[in-house]
Amino acid sequence: MSLGKIAFLGSGETSLAGGRIFESLARNISDPSVSQHPLRVAVMETTAGFELNSFQVASRVAEFLKTRLQNYKPVIDIIPARKLGTEFSPDNPEILKPLLSANMIFMGPGSPTYAARQLRGTLAWDIIRARHRLGTTLIFSSAATISVGAWALPVYEVYKAGEDIHTKSGLDLFADYGMSLSFVPHWNNAEGGIDLDTSRCFLGIERFNQWRKLLPAENILVGLDEHSGIIIDFDLASCEVSGVSSVSVLKQNSMEIYPAGAKFLLSELGKLALPSSSEQGIRPDAWEMITHVVNLEADEETPPDEALSLLEQRKDARTRKDFAESDRLRDQIASLGWTVQDSKEGQKLVKR
């Protein structure tokens, strides 16, 4: 099991600060000096699936990534998993196909409680969880940041519709790893000016504190300032703050504020406990779909015997300084769909 990184943004997924986070994660996935894998990005539409322009909302992010990450030549797919019980259901395997091979998955603006309601227990959510366990990077911003926590702050219900303070269950992504985490973006929002406290994701400190008292004591809250984010690296067991401001970690009797550029241990967010197997808790049909694609990709990444034989012949030709023969063999290998890379360490075949 090789867990991918997870990034959370307080806001500004298409801002300069958000772009820097995307690029740092893309570099880790697709930089030739680090990896030979192409960058495959899936943008989830679900969070805004109740809006008539949900495709346009997702498309704006997709176009931003296409431009910002152009050096990595990304393949970007929008996943229209909008609403259960429709042809655009998160349980429709046809529209979820790009998720199966994505190595970066993004969810952003919309309604956090709607996203949690539409994704909980679905094929789409299990594919996302399974892909993460196989190394895929997950990025959540704004409403999606709230939705994947253990408890989802009911922003629309309280701030827009006037409901009393109450709790809503989130998708609880980190329960897979033995952790109880909830996330609050727009932590330092100041749109209300001096007349209205809109911090703590528009609820204000007073109502936020009322909501927090309803949560279990063991739950850890992560507050993300606007245009700021956190990147969780499971391999290094560390968290890094990026952006223009800070990230706050609230425990039962304490609060730590980490400014941009700061790093802290993953253990500050709870004790990590990995599943006993990669497929534990994943729907069998989701796991079967993913392993089928992974096996196909593994076969595609293995050079055929003919190409390996030609590579050995080319090595002998170069030893004899027969560069004309070496070039002929290189072109023959290229006709099979593989490129020869020469370095001080020797020859290597890379899929074209």
Side-chain angles (χ1 to χ4, degrees), residues 116-136:
R117 190 167 69 249
Q118 296 302 319
L119 285 175
R120 185 177 291 110
T122 63
L123 181 62
W125 184 238
D126 274 36
I127 289 174
I128 291 171
R129 291 166 56 220
R131 286 300 307 174
H132 176 247
R133 297 184 190 185
L134 297 175
T136 287

Side-chain angles (χ1 to χ4, degrees), residues 34-250:
V34 179
S35 168
Q36 296 297 333
H37 297 294
L39 182 59
R40 299 169 179 163
V41 185
V43 178
M44 293 293 294
E45 213 177 304
T46 316
T47 324
F50 64 98
E51 300 177 2
L52 297 179
N53 67 337
S54 61
F55 179 77
Q56 284 73 26
V57 172
S59 294
R60 283 196 291 269
V61 177
E63 286 300 316
F64 172 78
L65 295 179
K66 183 178 179 180
T67 301
R68 179 69 198 219
L69 305 179
Q70 59 186 301
N71 291 341
Y72 303 97
K73 299 178 174 60
V75 176
I76 302 176
D77 291 287
I78 295 175
I79 312 297
R82 299 168 190 158
K83 185 178 181 181
L84 289 166
T86 71
E87 62 178 315
F88 298 108
S89 169
D91 273 326
N92 182 350
E94 286 302 312
I95 65 174
L96 303 179
K97 285 181 178 178
L99 276 180
L100 299 172
S101 55
N103 47 29
M104 179 183 284
I105 299 173
F106 172 80
M107 279 205 314
S111 165
T113 52
Y114 178 86
R117 190 167 69 249
Q118 296 302 319
L119 285 175
R120 185 177 291 110
T122 63
L123 181 62
W125 184 238
D126 274 36
I127 289 174
I128 291 171
R129 291 166 56 220
R131 286 300 307 174
H132 176 247
R133 297 184 190 185
L134 297 175
T136 287
T137 294
L138 306 182
I139 306 173
F140 303 106
S141 178
S142 193
T145 289
I146 297 175
S147 71
V148 301
W151 301 95
L153 188 72
V155 181
Y156 280 87
E157 291 85 346
V158 174
Y159 181 61
K160 294 289 187 179
E163 293 184 13
D164 291 337
I165 298 295
H166 61 281
T167 60
K168 293 275 190 179
S169 297
L171 292 166
D172 207 3
L173 174 62
F174 285 84
D176 287 355
Y177 310 120
M179 306 164 77
S180 179
L181 291 174
S182 300
F183 301 87
V184 180
H186 301 283
W187 185 254
N188 63 339
N189 182 273
E191 291 179 19
I194 61 174
D195 299 318
L196 176 65
D197 180 9
T198 53
S199 67
R200 308 307 186 257
C201 199
F202 307 102
L203 284 195
I205 293 177
E206 182 180 346
R207 288 189 294 189
F208 168 79
N209 287 336
Q210 294 174 25
W211 175 74
R212 188 185 173 197
K213 289 178 181 177
L214 301 177
L215 305 185
E218 67 273 11
N219 184 76
I220 294 176
L221 277 165
V222 179
L224 301 114
D225 284 354
E226 297 188 327
H227 297 277
S228 303
I230 184 173
I231 299 174
I232 300 174
D233 189 322
F234 292 88
D235 289 339
L236 299 178
S238 69
C239 303
E240 181 176 2
V241 179
S242 181
V244 301
S245 191
S246 61
V247 166
S248 302
V249 178
L250 289 73

Side-chain angles (χ1 to χ4, degrees), residues 11 41 77 108 123 178 182 198 224 237 243 254 268 290 305 315 349:
S11 73
V41 185
D77 291 287
L123 181 62
S182 300
T198 53
L224 301 114
S254 68
E268 290 299 310
I290 286 177
D305 291 341
K315 180 180 178 182
L349 290 181

